[in-house]
Amino acid sequence: MHIEEVVNGLQKGDCTEIFGCGTAAVISAVGELVDGETVLRVGDGKEGPIARKLREKLTGIQFGTEPDTHGWLMKV
C-alpha cells in the first residue's frame, strides 16, 4: 500500500486504524501521521478494535493463554 492511499483513506474517513507490529513492539497503534505542517489523526488517536484484538491474541499466544496453532513458540 502506498502512503498516498493511506493519506486519502484518512482524509475520506475510510482508514480508521493504523498499527505496526514486531517482536518487541507486539502491536503498536499509530495515533497520527505528521508531514511538515500537515497532521492527520488516525481514528480517535487511540488503539482501535482491530489492533486491540490482534495485540490481545498475540500476547495471549506469547503468555500461553491462547493456543499456538502456528508452531511459533519454542521452549528454551
Side-chain angles (χ1 to χ4, degrees), residues 1-18:
M1 175 173 258
H2 202 273
I3 190 66
E4 278 82 19
E5 291 178 79
V6 175
V7 170
N8 287 337
L10 289 171
Q11 291 171 335
K12 291 181 187 176
D14 295 335
C15 180
T16 58
E17 287 191 63
I18 297 176

PDB file of all heavy atoms in Angstrom, residues 1-18:
ATOM      1  N   MET A   1       0.845  -1.159   0.000  1.00  0.00           N
ATOM      2  CA  MET A   1       0.000   0.000   0.000  1.00  0.00           C
ATOM      3  C   MET A   1       0.899   1.233   0.000  1.00  0.00           C
ATOM      4  O   MET A   1       1.840   1.310   0.774  1.00  0.00           O
ATOM      5  CB  MET A   1      -0.898  -0.036   1.230  1.00  0.00           C
ATOM      6  CG  MET A   1      -1.746   1.179   1.394  1.00  0.00           C
ATOM      7  SD  MET A   1      -2.920   0.989   2.747  1.00  0.00           S
ATOM      8  CE  MET A   1      -4.374   0.644   1.812  1.00  0.00           C
ATOM      9  N   HIS A   2       0.617   2.167  -0.830  1.00  0.00           N
ATOM     10  CA  HIS A   2       1.404   3.393  -0.944  1.00  0.00           C
ATOM     11  C   HIS A   2       0.871   4.444   0.036  1.00  0.00           C
ATOM     12  O   HIS A   2      -0.316   4.465   0.350  1.00  0.00           O
ATOM     13  CB  HIS A   2       1.346   3.925  -2.378  1.00  0.00           C
ATOM     14  CG  HIS A   2       2.480   4.818  -2.705  1.00  0.00           C
ATOM     15  ND1 HIS A   2       2.447   6.161  -2.457  1.00  0.00           N
ATOM     16  CD2 HIS A   2       3.694   4.553  -3.237  1.00  0.00           C
ATOM     17  CE1 HIS A   2       3.594   6.701  -2.834  1.00  0.00           C
ATOM     18  NE2 HIS A   2       4.366   5.741  -3.301  1.00  0.00           N
ATOM     19  N   ILE A   3       1.735   5.316   0.517  1.00  0.00           N
ATOM     20  CA  ILE A   3       1.346   6.305   1.516  1.00  0.00           C
ATOM     21  C   ILE A   3       0.213   7.214   1.033  1.00  0.00           C
ATOM     22  O   ILE A   3      -0.622   7.642   1.837  1.00  0.00           O
ATOM     23  CB  ILE A   3       2.573   7.128   1.995  1.00  0.00           C
ATOM     24  CG1 ILE A   3       2.221   7.990   3.212  1.00  0.00           C
ATOM     25  CG2 ILE A   3       3.117   7.990   0.859  1.00  0.00           C
ATOM     26  CD1 ILE A   3       1.893   7.219   4.451  1.00  0.00           C
ATOM     27  N   GLU A   4       0.158   7.492  -0.275  1.00  0.00           N
ATOM     28  CA  GLU A   4      -0.935   8.317  -0.786  1.00  0.00           C
ATOM     29  C   GLU A   4      -2.289   7.654  -0.553  1.00  0.00           C
ATOM     30  O   GLU A   4      -3.278   8.332  -0.285  1.00  0.00           O
ATOM     31  CB  GLU A   4      -0.753   8.635  -2.277  1.00  0.00           C
ATOM     32  CG  GLU A   4       0.187   9.790  -2.549  1.00  0.00           C
ATOM     33  CD  GLU A   4       1.657   9.387  -2.517  1.00  0.00           C
ATOM     34  OE1 GLU A   4       1.952   8.175  -2.635  1.00  0.00           O
ATOM     35  OE2 GLU A   4       2.497  10.271  -2.358  1.00  0.00           O
ATOM     36  N   GLU A   5      -2.333   6.327  -0.657  1.00  0.00           N
ATOM     37  CA  GLU A   5      -3.579   5.608  -0.378  1.00  0.00           C
ATOM     38  C   GLU A   5      -3.977   5.767   1.083  1.00  0.00           C
ATOM     39  O   GLU A   5      -5.160   5.934   1.399  1.00  0.00           O
ATOM     40  CB  GLU A   5      -3.422   4.126  -0.706  1.00  0.00           C
ATOM     41  CG  GLU A   5      -3.289   3.817  -2.175  1.00  0.00           C
ATOM     42  CD  GLU A   5      -3.096   2.322  -2.399  1.00  0.00           C
ATOM     43  OE1 GLU A   5      -4.106   1.590  -2.354  1.00  0.00           O
ATOM     44  OE2 GLU A   5      -1.938   1.909  -2.599  1.00  0.00           O
ATOM     45  N   VAL A   6      -2.988   5.713   1.964  1.00  0.00           N
ATOM     46  CA  VAL A   6      -3.248   5.876   3.397  1.00  0.00           C
ATOM     47  C   VAL A   6      -3.769   7.287   3.673  1.00  0.00           C
ATOM     48  O   VAL A   6      -4.768   7.469   4.356  1.00  0.00           O
ATOM     49  CB  VAL A   6      -1.981   5.597   4.223  1.00  0.00           C
ATOM     50  CG1 VAL A   6      -2.215   5.888   5.693  1.00  0.00           C
ATOM     51  CG2 VAL A   6      -1.505   4.165   4.014  1.00  0.00           C
ATOM     52  N   VAL A   7      -3.087   8.293   3.125  1.00  0.00           N
ATOM     53  CA  VAL A   7      -3.497   9.687   3.325  1.00  0.00           C
ATOM     54  C   VAL A   7      -4.909   9.907   2.797  1.00  0.00           C
ATOM     55  O   VAL A   7      -5.757  10.495   3.484  1.00  0.00           O
ATOM     56  CB  VAL A   7      -2.490  10.653   2.662  1.00  0.00           C
ATOM     57  CG1 VAL A   7      -3.020  12.075   2.633  1.00  0.00           C
ATOM     58  CG2 VAL A   7      -1.145  10.591   3.377  1.00  0.00           C
ATOM     59  N   ASN A   8      -5.193   9.429   1.593  1.00  0.00           N
ATOM     60  CA  ASN A   8      -6.542   9.569   1.032  1.00  0.00           C
ATOM     61  C   ASN A   8      -7.575   8.881   1.917  1.00  0.00           C
ATOM     62  O   ASN A   8      -8.662   9.411   2.145  1.00  0.00           O
ATOM     63  CB  ASN A   8      -6.609   9.008  -0.392  1.00  0.00           C
ATOM     64  CG  ASN A   8      -5.904   9.885  -1.401  1.00  0.00           C
ATOM     65  OD1 ASN A   8      -5.731  11.084  -1.184  1.00  0.00           O
ATOM     66  ND2 ASN A   8      -5.474   9.287  -2.492  1.00  0.00           N
ATOM     67  N   GLY A   9      -7.248   7.694   2.404  1.00  0.00           N
ATOM     68  CA  GLY A   9      -8.162   6.968   3.282  1.00  0.00           C
ATOM     69  C   GLY A   9      -8.424   7.705   4.577  1.00  0.00           C
ATOM     70  O   GLY A   9      -9.558   7.739   5.064  1.00  0.00           O
ATOM     71  N   LEU A  10      -7.386   8.321   5.145  1.00  0.00           N
ATOM     72  CA  LEU A  10      -7.563   9.098   6.366  1.00  0.00           C
ATOM     73  C   LEU A  10      -8.415  10.325   6.106  1.00  0.00           C
ATOM     74  O   LEU A  10      -9.308  10.656   6.893  1.00  0.00           O
ATOM     75  CB  LEU A  10      -6.205   9.514   6.936  1.00  0.00           C
ATOM     76  CG  LEU A  10      -5.368   8.403   7.558  1.00  0.00           C
ATOM     77  CD1 LEU A  10      -3.965   8.900   7.871  1.00  0.00           C
ATOM     78  CD2 LEU A  10      -6.036   7.859   8.811  1.00  0.00           C
ATOM     79  N   GLN A  11      -8.151  11.002   4.993  1.00  0.00           N
ATOM     80  CA  GLN A  11      -8.916  12.209   4.672  1.00  0.00           C
ATOM     81  C   GLN A  11     -10.386  11.906   4.406  1.00  0.00           C
ATOM     82  O   GLN A  11     -11.260  12.678   4.778  1.00  0.00           O
ATOM     83  CB  GLN A  11      -8.274  12.929   3.474  1.00  0.00           C
ATOM     84  CG  GLN A  11      -6.938  13.545   3.815  1.00  0.00           C
ATOM     85  CD  GLN A  11      -6.188  14.063   2.601  1.00  0.00           C
ATOM     86  OE1 GLN A  11      -6.388  13.617   1.480  1.00  0.00           O
ATOM     87  NE2 GLN A  11      -5.282  15.001   2.853  1.00  0.00           N
ATOM     88  N   LYS A  12     -10.672  10.772   3.773  1.00  0.00           N
ATOM     89  CA  LYS A  12     -12.057  10.384   3.484  1.00  0.00           C
ATOM     90  C   LYS A  12     -12.750   9.750   4.686  1.00  0.00           C
ATOM     91  O   LYS A  12     -13.970   9.619   4.705  1.00  0.00           O
ATOM     92  CB  LYS A  12     -12.090   9.371   2.343  1.00  0.00           C
ATOM     93  CG  LYS A  12     -11.719   9.914   0.992  1.00  0.00           C
ATOM     94  CD  LYS A  12     -11.824   8.776  -0.020  1.00  0.00           C
ATOM     95  CE  LYS A  12     -11.310   9.160  -1.371  1.00  0.00           C
ATOM     96  NZ  LYS A  12     -11.338   8.001  -2.294  1.00  0.00           N
ATOM     97  N   GLY A  13     -11.959   9.284   5.652  1.00  0.00           N
ATOM     98  CA  GLY A  13     -12.532   8.585   6.798  1.00  0.00           C
ATOM     99  C   GLY A  13     -12.629   7.090   6.590  1.00  0.00           C
ATOM    100  O   GLY A  13     -13.197   6.383   7.425  1.00  0.00           O
ATOM    101  N   ASP A  14     -12.101   6.592   5.470  1.00  0.00           N
ATOM    102  CA  ASP A  14     -12.131   5.153   5.201  1.00  0.00           C
ATOM    103  C   ASP A  14     -11.091   4.392   6.023  1.00  0.00           C
ATOM    104  O   ASP A  14     -11.279   3.219   6.326  1.00  0.00           O
ATOM    105  CB  ASP A  14     -11.870   4.879   3.712  1.00  0.00           C
ATOM    106  CG  ASP A  14     -12.960   5.430   2.815  1.00  0.00           C
ATOM    107  OD1 ASP A  14     -14.105   5.585   3.293  1.00  0.00           O
ATOM    108  OD2 ASP A  14     -12.675   5.713   1.638  1.00  0.00           O
ATOM    109  N   CYS A  15      -9.997   5.035   6.352  1.00  0.00           N
ATOM    110  CA  CYS A  15      -8.923   4.424   7.134  1.00  0.00           C
ATOM    111  C   CYS A  15      -9.094   4.871   8.582  1.00  0.00           C
ATOM    112  O   CYS A  15      -8.946   6.053   8.894  1.00  0.00           O
ATOM    113  CB  CYS A  15      -7.555   4.859   6.591  1.00  0.00           C
ATOM    114  SG  CYS A  15      -6.164   4.162   7.503  1.00  0.00           S
ATOM    115  N   THR A  16      -9.429   3.942   9.452  1.00  0.00           N
ATOM    116  CA  THR A  16      -9.697   4.294  10.845  1.00  0.00           C
ATOM    117  C   THR A  16      -8.663   3.743  11.811  1.00  0.00           C
ATOM    118  O   THR A  16      -8.679   4.084  12.992  1.00  0.00           O
ATOM    119  CB  THR A  16     -11.085   3.788  11.264  1.00  0.00           C
ATOM    120  OG1 THR A  16     -11.142   2.371  11.083  1.00  0.00           O
ATOM    121  CG2 THR A  16     -12.183   4.461  10.442  1.00  0.00           C
ATOM    122  N   GLU A  17      -7.768   2.875  11.320  1.00  0.00           N
ATOM    123  CA  GLU A  17      -6.726   2.306  12.169  1.00  0.00           C
ATOM    124  C   GLU A  17      -5.447   2.126  11.378  1.00  0.00           C
ATOM    125  O   GLU A  17      -5.487   1.740  10.215  1.00  0.00           O
ATOM    126  CB  GLU A  17      -7.123   0.927  12.704  1.00  0.00           C
ATOM    127  CG  GLU A  17      -8.163   0.930  13.764  1.00  0.00           C
ATOM    128  CD  GLU A  17      -8.289  -0.440  14.398  1.00  0.00           C
ATOM    129  OE1 GLU A  17      -7.318  -0.920  15.008  1.00  0.00           O
ATOM    130  OE2 GLU A  17      -9.376  -1.030  14.252  1.00  0.00           O
ATOM    131  N   ILE A  18      -4.326   2.399  12.042  1.00  0.00           N
ATOM    132  CA  ILE A  18      -3.004   2.076  11.509  1.00  0.00           C
ATOM    133  C   ILE A  18      -2.203   1.531  12.678  1.00  0.00           C
ATOM    134  O   ILE A  18      -2.277   2.069  13.792  1.00  0.00           O
ATOM    135  CB  ILE A  18      -2.296   3.318  10.927  1.00  0.00           C
ATOM    136  CG1 ILE A  18      -3.080   3.881   9.744  1.00  0.00           C
ATOM    137  CG2 ILE A  18      -0.865   2.978  10.507  1.00  0.00           C
ATOM    138  CD1 ILE A  18      -2.500   5.171   9.181  1.00  0.00           C
TER     139      ILE A  18
END
